[in-house]
Amino acid sequence: MRIALTGNPNSGKTTLFNAITGKIEKVGNWAGVTIEKKEGAIKSSLYKSNNEIIAVDLPGAYSMSPFTSEENITSDFIKNEKPDVIINIVDATNLSRSLFFTTQLLELDIPVVVALNKSDLNRKKNTDIDIDALAKKIGCPVVETVSTASTNNGLKDLLSKVVEVAGKGQSRPFNADNVNMSNKEAVLASDKKRYDFVKTIVKAVEKRVVASNEQTKQDAADRILAHKWLGIPVFALIMWCVFAISQSWVGPWIADVFVGWLEGFQGFVADALGESVSPFLSALLVDGIIGGVAAVVGFLPLIMVLFFLLALLEDCGYMARVAVIMDRFFKKVGLSGKSIIPMIIGTGCAIPGVMATRTIRNDRQRRTTAMLTPFMPCGAKLPVIALFAGVFFNGSAIVGAGMYFLAIIIIIIGALIVVRITGEKGARSFFIMELPEYRIPSVKRATISMFSRAKAFIVKAATIILICNAAVQIMQSFDWSFNLVAEGAENTSILASISTPFAILLLPLGFGVWQLAAAAITGFIAKENIVGTLAVVYGISNFIDTEEFAIVNEAGAASGVAGVMGITSVAALSYLVFNLFTPPCFAAIGSMNSEMENKKWLWGGIGFQFGMGYVVSFFFYHIGTLITTGAVGEYFLPGVIAVAIMIGIVIVLMKKGDQKANAKVALASR
C-alpha cells in the first residue's frame, strides 16, 4: 500500500514522514524546505498489517491547481500515481488556510485521513477544535498528531485509520466538478464559494481565546527581530555568538579531546610499522593519509557545534525572519525573494542549496541564484575558516561571522552586476512568505541534524579527502623521473611543478607559493581538501593545541603553523577570501549545470566566480597591507592590470545590457 503525505508548506509533513519512517530527511521551521518527493517504508511498530506501507512525502502545496514547481510535483503525483490513501497534514494553528486544500483532495475519490498536526501548540493557546464535528463535516477521519513528540503523538491512531479506510470510497463535502476551468471568472467564483464553505466549517468547530487579528508576543518579537533596520545588527550579534561558541569556546575544548584520540591512533600505526617499512610507505600512510585526514577530521567537533546551533536557530523559526530581513535588499538587485531560501540552505551544503533554486520560476532569477548561492560559506568551508581564524587571528569569532556577511555583500553586488548584464535592471519581483510561529527549538532534532551532517563529513573524509591526500603525498614525494625527492627539496616534486604556474598567478594576492596554490587546487575537488593538503605539504598533522585547548595560534612564531606557512595575517585573510569566493567544488558545479540548463550561463557563472574571488582577494591583500605597513603589497602593478581587465570586461557587458534594457523600454513605449 502506498500513501501520500500532502499539506500546506510548513505544516509538518517531512517531520511526520521522518517520525513514521525513521528517516532523517531535511526539515525546517519554514515553508519550502521540501522540493521533491521522497519515499520510505513505515515502521512496522506503528501499525498492524501484513502488507508493507510506503509513505511518499510530497512538497507543500496550497492548491491542486499548481502555481509553483513544487505544487506541480504534488498535483501530478496524486492525479497520475493514484495513491491508496492520502494523509492530509493540516496545521491545527491555521485551520482556515489549510482546509481549502483539504476540500480539493476530498474531490479526488481517494480515501483521505486528516492529521491535525501541531495540536500541542493549539492547546498552549487554549484553542479548541471539535475533532468529531470536523470529521463529520468534511466526511473523513481526523486524528490529532504532534509529529515532533516521541510519545503520545497520535501516529499509531493515524496509521490505524489509514489501514481502516484503504480501499473504501471518499465522500465530497464540497463539489466543484461542474466548474469550467478555462473560464477565469467561473474559477474565481468557485474558489470564493469554497472559501465560504471552509469559513463555515471553521466557525462551527473552532473556539479561540486569542483572535487571529490580535497582537501577540510573537508580533512584538517580530517588531525587533524582523525589523528592516534593527534586524540586521541583531542578526550580526547572533551570528557572532554562534561562531564564538563553536570556534572559540566549546568547539576547541571538545576538539582537543578528539584530536588526542587521532594523534594516539597515528602514533599507534607509526609504532606498528616500525623502522623495517620503507620510509616512503611509512610517510604515505602515517603523514599523508592518516595525518592529512586527521587534520581535516580534527575540526569536526567545531563544525558539529556550529551545525547544532544553526539547527536550533532554524527550528525556533528565526531563520525565516532572516529571509524577511534580506528580502528588501534582494528585490532591489533583481533577485527573487525565493532566492533567500537556497542561500540559507547553502550554508549547510551548496549542492542542495543550488538544487533548491528550481522553485524559482523566472529563468534569469533562477540561474542568477544558482550562480550566487555557492558564495555562502558551506559546511565544507568551515574547517578552512576555523583554521585561518585560529592560526592567524587568535580564534576571533569576528572572522567567521564576517565571512558570512561578506558573502551576503558579494551576493548583492553579484546580483546587481548580473541583472545589468542581462538587460533586466528594471525587473522587480514580489515575495510572500508565511512566517512560522516561534517555538522552543528541539534539542533532539538539532542533534539528529548535527549527526547527519557529521556523518556526511566523515564519509567524505574517508573517501575523497583520503584519496586526495594520498595523491598529494605521492606527487610531493616523487619527481617526474619517479625518483624520491630528497628531504627539503620538495620544490622539485611533481606537485610543485604542477602548482608553480598557478602560484605565479596568485603572487599579486600575497600567497604566490606552490604549497598554497596546491591546496587551493585540491579545494575544487572538495573544500575540506584545503586543510588536508596544507597538512601534507607543510608536514603538519595537528592544528589543535592539545595543551592550550585551542586551535594553534602562534601567529608569526617560527615554530607555529603561521611561521611554517610563512605568510602575513593579511595574506592569510586574502587566501581565505580567495578560497571561499572562487568556484565551489566540482559536485556543486555539477548542480549548477543541472539547474541553469544553459552552458553559456554555466561557464559565465564559473568565470564570474573566479573573477569575484580574485578581485576581492586582491583588494583585501593590498588595502590590508597598506593599513598595516603603510605601503601596498608586492606585485601590485601586475595585479592592478589583471583586476582592471576583469572589471573592464564586466563594465562593457553591463553597458551592453543597459542598451538592451533601454531598447526594451523604447519598444514597450511605442
Side-chain angles (χ1 to χ4, degrees):
M1 182 167 63
R2 194 158 58 155
I3 58 174
L5 306 188
T6 65
N8 291 167
N10 201 38
S11 58
K13 295 178 305 303
T14 303
T15 305
L16 192 143
F17 175 79
N18 288 342
I20 62 176
T21 63
K23 288 183 174 288
I24 48 174
E25 298 294 346
K26 166 75 175 172
V27 296
N29 187 15
W30 55 4
V33 175
T34 306
I35 58 171
E36 56 188 1
K37 66 174 181 168
K38 299 180 178 69
E39 292 190 4
I42 292 181
K43 293 186 283 188
S44 57
S45 59
L46 291 175
Y47 70 98
K48 294 178 181 178
S49 173
N50 295 325
N51 298 323
E52 185 181 52
I53 303 179
I54 302 295
V56 182
D57 181 28
L58 297 168
Y62 290 106
S63 165
M64 284 299 290
S65 302
F67 181 72
T68 65
S69 57
E70 308 101 291
E71 290 182 332
N72 257 323
I73 294 171
T74 299
S75 177
D76 287 348
F77 179 85
I78 294 174
K79 289 178 179 175
N80 301 325
E81 301 290 330
K82 298 287 183 186
D84 296 293
V85 178
I86 296 172
I87 294 181
N88 176 214
I89 294 90
V90 168
D91 184 348
T93 64
N94 202 337
L95 196 60
S96 57
R97 185 204 63 194
S98 303
L99 289 184
F100 182 90
F101 185 43
T102 304
T103 57
Q104 290 185 323
L105 293 173
L106 292 168
E107 295 174 5
L108 301 176
D109 295 326
I110 300 173
V112 175
V113 177
V114 168
L116 200 61
N117 206 25
K118 304 183 183 178
S119 301
D120 54 330
L121 298 179
N122 258 4
R123 283 191 283 273
K124 288 178 183 175
K125 294 180 177 177
N126 295 320
T127 299
D128 182 50
I129 296 177
D130 188 334
I131 305 299
D132 295 334
L134 178 60
K136 190 174 179 181
K137 285 187 175 294
I138 61 177
C140 72
V142 178
V143 180
E144 282 189 314
T145 59
V146 184
S147 55
T148 55
S150 54
T151 57
N152 297 323
N153 47 29
L155 297 182
K156 282 190 176 180
D157 292 340
L158 176 68
L159 292 168
S160 172
K161 290 293 181 186
V162 167
V163 173
E164 188 179 315
V165 302
K168 297 181 179 176
Q170 178 60 60
S171 61
R172 303 181 179 193
F174 184 89
N175 197 334
D177 273 355
N178 297 324
V179 177
N180 180 2
M181 299 305 288
S182 61
N183 185 328
K184 185 179 177 182
E185 296 299 325
V187 172
L188 288 175
S190 174
D191 285 349
K192 187 175 183 306
K193 284 184 182 177
R194 192 186 297 275
Y195 273 120
D196 291 340
F197 176 72
V198 168
K199 285 179 183 175
T200 306
I201 294 176
V202 173
K203 189 176 180 181
V205 303
E206 184 183 71
K207 291 180 181 176
R208 284 178 175 267
V209 174
V210 180
S212 56
N213 58 352
E214 286 184 26
Q215 294 289 317
T216 62
K217 292 179 180 177
Q218 172 170 306
D219 297 328
D222 280 340
R223 290 184 190 283
I224 299 173
L225 298 178
H227 189 273
K228 61 181 181 181
W229 295 120
L230 288 176
I232 296 174
V234 170
F235 179 47
L237 178 64
I238 289 175
M239 289 307 294
W240 180 86
C241 290
V242 166
F243 273 92
I245 294 170
S246 62
Q247 313 294 308
S248 302
W249 303 338
V250 180
W253 185 79
I254 301 174
D256 178 71
V257 178
F258 190 59
V259 167
W261 296 344
L262 295 175
E263 283 185 331
F265 177 70
Q266 190 177 12
F268 170 77
V269 174
D271 293 339
L273 291 175
E275 297 182 355
S276 59
V277 178
S278 158
F280 164 70
L281 289 178
S282 177
L284 174 63
L285 182 61
V286 177
D287 299 329
I289 296 177
I290 298 177
V293 171
V296 178
V297 175
F299 288 94
L300 182 60
L302 283 71
I303 295 169
M304 289 177 70
V305 174
L306 180 67
F307 282 152
F308 180 78
L309 296 174
L310 291 178
L312 291 180
L313 286 178
E314 199 173 312
D315 198 42
C316 74
Y318 176 69
M319 296 306 276
R321 273 72 186 177
V322 175
V324 172
I325 295 167
M326 299 312 303
D327 177 52
R328 58 195 294 266
F329 299 105
F330 281 11
K331 278 180 182 173
K332 292 182 179 177
V333 294
L335 280 179
S336 163
K338 279 194 168 184
S339 301
I340 296 164
I341 294 172
M343 290 171 187
I344 293 180
I345 294 174
T347 57
C349 177
I351 297 169
V354 172
M355 289 172 64
T357 60
R358 69 183 57 169
T359 62
I360 301 171
R361 295 169 69 87
N362 180 283
D363 284 345
R364 197 263 310 162
Q365 292 176 342
R366 187 184 72 251
R367 289 164 178 163
T368 304
T369 307
M371 179 196 302
L372 300 177
T373 293
F375 282 134
M376 289 301 291
C378 64
K381 295 174 181 175
L382 292 178
V384 190
I385 296 174
L387 172 64
F388 281 82
V391 170
F392 292 94
F393 301 97
N394 294 320
S396 172
I398 295 174
V399 177
M403 289 301 117
Y404 278 82
F405 281 93
L406 179 60
I408 292 170
I409 293 170
I410 287 176
I411 286 169
I412 290 173
I413 294 172
L416 200 57
I417 292 171
V418 173
V419 78
R420 291 277 302 275
I421 290 176
T422 54
E424 296 187 28
K425 63 180 181 180
R428 292 290 181 270
S429 64
F430 299 93
F431 175 54
I432 299 175
M433 183 174 186
E434 183 183 347
L435 288 179
E437 292 200 19
Y438 289 109
R439 67 185 182 198
I440 298 174
S442 165
V443 174
K444 179 183 175 183
R445 282 194 294 277
T447 304
I448 290 173
S449 173
M450 176 184 71
F451 278 110
S452 173
R453 292 181 178 186
K455 180 184 174 184
F457 186 87
I458 292 171
V459 168
K460 193 187 281 188
T463 52
I464 297 172
I465 296 170
L466 186 149
I467 293 170
C468 281
N469 285 339
V472 167
Q473 179 71 33
I474 292 170
M475 287 194 293
Q476 186 183 234
S477 301
F478 290 93
D479 59 21
W480 286 105
S481 301
F482 295 101
N483 297 317
L484 278 170
V485 299
E487 188 173 349
E490 287 82 4
N491 58 349
T492 63
S493 65
I494 296 173
L495 183 65
S497 62
I498 293 174
S499 305
T500 299
F502 294 98
I504 293 172
L505 297 175
L506 303 177
L507 284 171
L509 308 184
F511 47 85
V513 294
W514 68 267
Q515 293 94 336
L516 292 173
I521 293 169
T522 59
F524 293 118
I525 299 170
K527 289 300 178 184
E528 300 95 327
N529 272 331
I530 295 171
V531 174
T533 303
L534 289 175
V536 173
V537 297
Y538 285 117
I540 306 167
S541 59
N542 177 19
F543 288 122
I544 310 291
D545 190 326
T546 54
E547 295 181 359
E548 298 291 334
F549 296 97
I551 296 174
V552 174
N553 58 359
E554 298 174 63
S559 59
V561 175
V564 173
M565 290 187 184
I567 56 175
T568 64
S569 296
V570 173
L573 191 60
S574 169
Y575 185 70
L576 178 60
V577 167
F578 179 81
N579 282 291
L580 295 189
F581 302 116
T582 43
C585 63
F586 291 146
I589 291 175
S591 293
M592 286 171 54
N593 180 40
S594 175
E595 301 305 329
M596 286 180 169
E597 299 175 323
N598 185 301
K599 296 297 180 190
K600 187 177 176 183
W601 267 88
L602 175 67
W603 291 111
I606 293 172
F608 183 81
Q609 290 166 339
F610 261 119
M612 181 63 82
Y614 196 95
V615 170
V616 176
S617 177
F618 173 81
F619 283 122
F620 261 76
Y621 174 59
H622 289 283
I623 293 175
T625 304
L626 181 64
I627 294 171
T628 54
T629 67
V632 294
E634 292 182 318
Y635 304 100
F636 176 72
L637 185 58
V640 165
I641 294 171
V643 168
I645 291 172
M646 293 180 201
I647 294 176
I649 291 172
V650 169
I651 290 174
V652 169
L653 293 174
M654 287 168 64
K655 285 187 175 179
K656 284 185 178 179
D658 288 347
Q659 290 172 358
K660 197 189 300 181
N662 294 334
K664 284 182 185 175
V665 174
L667 187 64
S669 60
R670 286 179 185 175

Tab-separated table of all heavy atoms in Angstrom, residues 224 226-234 325 328-329 332:
chain	number	residue	atom	x	y	z
A	224	ILE	N	11.070	43.622	16.405
A	224	ILE	CA	12.517	43.843	16.586
A	224	ILE	C	13.326	42.922	15.671
A	224	ILE	O	14.154	43.373	14.889
A	224	ILE	CB	12.913	43.591	18.059
A	224	ILE	CG1	12.165	44.569	18.969
A	224	ILE	CG2	14.427	43.727	18.240
A	224	ILE	CD1	12.360	44.309	20.453
A	226	ALA	N	12.530	41.104	13.053
A	226	ALA	CA	12.318	41.201	11.611
A	226	ALA	C	12.240	42.653	11.152
A	226	ALA	O	11.828	42.933	10.027
A	226	ALA	CB	11.033	40.457	11.227
A	227	HIS	N	12.651	43.581	12.019
A	227	HIS	CA	12.620	44.997	11.653
A	227	HIS	C	13.639	45.275	10.547
A	227	HIS	O	14.729	44.691	10.547
A	227	HIS	CB	12.937	45.854	12.881
A	227	HIS	CG	12.725	47.316	12.670
A	227	HIS	ND1	13.716	48.137	12.154
A	227	HIS	CD2	11.650	48.101	12.883
A	227	HIS	CE1	13.249	49.371	12.084
A	227	HIS	NE2	11.994	49.373	12.517
A	228	LYS	N	13.299	46.171	9.643
A	228	LYS	CA	14.152	46.374	8.473
A	228	LYS	C	15.538	46.913	8.833
A	228	LYS	O	16.504	46.696	8.098
A	228	LYS	CB	13.467	47.300	7.464
A	228	LYS	CG	13.156	48.694	7.988
A	228	LYS	CD	12.456	49.503	6.897
A	228	LYS	CE	12.148	50.919	7.362
A	228	LYS	NZ	11.456	51.688	6.303
A	229	TRP	N	15.672	47.636	9.952
A	229	TRP	CA	16.986	48.134	10.355
A	229	TRP	C	17.500	47.428	11.606
A	229	TRP	O	18.640	46.992	11.647
A	229	TRP	CB	16.941	49.654	10.614
A	229	TRP	CG	16.643	50.440	9.379
A	229	TRP	CD1	15.591	51.274	9.154
A	229	TRP	CD2	17.391	50.444	8.144
A	229	TRP	NE1	15.617	51.795	7.886
A	229	TRP	CE2	16.719	51.305	7.243
A	229	TRP	CE3	18.543	49.804	7.719
A	229	TRP	CZ2	17.181	51.532	5.956
A	229	TRP	CZ3	19.010	50.025	6.428
A	229	TRP	CH2	18.330	50.881	5.575
A	230	LEU	N	16.657	47.295	12.643
A	230	LEU	CA	17.102	46.643	13.882
A	230	LEU	C	17.452	45.173	13.657
A	230	LEU	O	18.326	44.616	14.327
A	230	LEU	CB	16.004	46.741	14.945
A	230	LEU	CG	15.769	48.119	15.566
A	230	LEU	CD1	14.587	48.049	16.530
A	230	LEU	CD2	17.018	48.595	16.285
A	231	GLY	N	16.784	44.553	12.690
A	231	GLY	CA	17.013	43.129	12.442
A	231	GLY	C	18.437	42.813	12.014
A	231	GLY	O	18.948	41.729	12.310
A	232	ILE	N	19.093	43.758	11.343
A	232	ILE	CA	20.454	43.489	10.836
A	232	ILE	C	21.473	43.390	11.974
A	232	ILE	O	22.221	42.401	12.040
A	232	ILE	CB	20.851	44.570	9.804
A	232	ILE	CG1	19.912	44.453	8.589
A	232	ILE	CG2	22.304	44.404	9.388
A	232	ILE	CD1	20.096	45.542	7.571
A	233	PRO	N	21.566	44.394	12.888
A	233	PRO	CA	22.526	44.219	13.988
A	233	PRO	C	22.195	43.039	14.897
A	233	PRO	O	23.104	42.406	15.448
A	233	PRO	CB	22.441	45.552	14.755
A	233	PRO	CG	21.176	46.191	14.328
A	233	PRO	CD	20.924	45.721	12.933
A	234	VAL	N	20.902	42.743	15.044
A	234	VAL	CA	20.540	41.569	15.853
A	234	VAL	C	21.069	40.298	15.189
A	234	VAL	O	21.646	39.417	15.847
A	234	VAL	CB	19.001	41.483	16.028
A	234	VAL	CG1	18.595	40.144	16.652
A	234	VAL	CG2	18.502	42.629	16.899
A	325	ILE	N	14.260	39.838	6.448
A	325	ILE	CA	15.169	40.986	6.557
A	325	ILE	C	15.923	41.204	5.242
A	325	ILE	O	16.070	42.326	4.765
A	325	ILE	CB	16.174	40.759	7.710
A	325	ILE	CG1	15.452	40.712	9.055
A	325	ILE	CG2	17.225	41.866	7.732
A	325	ILE	CD1	16.321	40.195	10.186
A	328	ARG	N	14.270	42.651	1.289
A	328	ARG	CA	14.204	44.031	0.782
A	328	ARG	C	15.454	44.390	-0.020
A	328	ARG	O	15.393	45.182	-0.966
A	328	ARG	CB	14.000	45.020	1.931
A	328	ARG	CG	15.069	44.962	2.988
A	328	ARG	CD	14.585	45.686	4.231
A	328	ARG	NE	14.412	47.098	3.988
A	328	ARG	CZ	15.354	47.997	4.240
A	328	ARG	NH1	16.509	47.617	4.726
A	328	ARG	NH2	15.141	49.263	4.003
A	329	PHE	N	16.609	43.819	0.362
A	329	PHE	CA	17.839	44.095	-0.387
A	329	PHE	C	17.856	43.314	-1.705
A	329	PHE	O	18.298	43.824	-2.733
A	329	PHE	CB	19.068	43.727	0.455
A	329	PHE	CG	19.179	44.503	1.728
A	329	PHE	CD1	18.877	43.928	2.942
A	329	PHE	CD2	19.562	45.842	1.706
A	329	PHE	CE1	18.970	44.651	4.118
A	329	PHE	CE2	19.647	46.582	2.877
A	329	PHE	CZ	19.359	45.981	4.089
A	332	LYS	N	15.835	44.767	-4.641
A	332	LYS	CA	16.412	45.931	-5.307
A	332	LYS	C	17.473	45.558	-6.328
A	332	LYS	O	17.859	46.374	-7.142
A	332	LYS	CB	16.999	46.882	-4.259
A	332	LYS	CG	15.922	47.531	-3.407
A	332	LYS	CD	16.505	48.507	-2.411
A	332	LYS	CE	15.387	49.153	-1.591
A	332	LYS	NZ	15.894	50.047	-0.559
